[in-house]
Amino acid sequence: MTIDRGAPARGHRGGAAAATLGGETAQRPDLTYAAFCATHQPAWYALALTRIGNRADAVLAVEAVKGDLARCWPQVLRFEEPAAYAWRLANRHVADWVSGGEPAAVEAVTFEAVIGAFKQVADGLLHSEADEVRLYAAILELPDRQRDVVILRYLLGLHVKVIGAYLGRPVATVHSNLRHARERLARRLGVRELPDRGGESA
């Protein structure tokens, strides 16, 4: 699945209303679709913003996710965890976007937002701009499973149970992913430990 960067964002507002299942127009899911997107698109945007690095392209990536969801919304509702399906879809769109062109420079406001979200974790460990650059690069280099929980936990401050629902993983796995991610980030920063000052259970 690829994103056409040159094309306007595919419309999603009327898509769900026109979605059909068994030949009948699915009007009711359109309302559910709108509420679902309103609830979950901040997470998709945080993912896109962190990996793509600029707001305009992140918005386009999220619009593409919403467009895909609109076209198959009745089927999405059949999944046990629609949020987990949508997160996988967002990851695929963002990965396509990142791999589809030349690496873009990270906007200063994006960089500051991501690093600012980690102040509670790396308090006292970021002594220079070089440390901040290393931390941002280390986040992007995390394995997908660890990067996902890092974005959801620290950029959005979500509870581990909510993260588990997003990713379709047991809470114990989310805890493990967080722990391993902090260990990797600590090694990149050259420190012994990167504690979760907010608490993993929060």
Side-chain angles (χ1 to χ4, degrees), residues 138-159:
I139 293 168
L140 295 181
E141 293 169 1
L142 288 171
D144 291 348
R145 293 171 66 86
Q146 294 175 19
R147 186 179 57 240
D148 285 352
V149 297
V150 158
I151 290 172
L152 292 170
R153 179 69 180 90
Y154 298 119
L155 268 70
L156 296 178
L158 298 183
H159 190 284

Side-chain angles (χ1 to χ4, degrees), residues 81 84 88 163-170:
E81 291 288 357
R88 291 193 298 271
I163 296 173
Y166 263 110
L167 305 180
R169 302 175 198 167

Side-chain angles (χ1 to χ4, degrees), residues 52-123:
I52 295 173
N54 71 81
R55 291 172 291 178
D57 286 348
V59 167
L60 289 177
V62 170
E63 289 300 307
V65 173
K66 292 164 69 174
D68 275 1
L69 287 173
R71 281 184 288 278
C72 62
W73 183 243
Q75 287 77 18
V76 173
L77 289 176
R78 295 179 176 178
F79 287 99
E80 183 176 352
E81 291 288 357
Y85 172 80
W87 182 262
R88 291 193 298 271
L89 182 63
N91 254 312
R92 289 199 296 271
H93 271 294
V94 170
D96 283 349
W97 193 281
V98 170
S99 65
E102 295 296 324
V106 176
E107 290 179 339
V109 291
T110 300
F111 181 85
E112 291 171 3
V114 173
I115 294 303
F118 276 80
K119 291 297 186 181
Q120 62 167 323
V121 187
D123 184 32

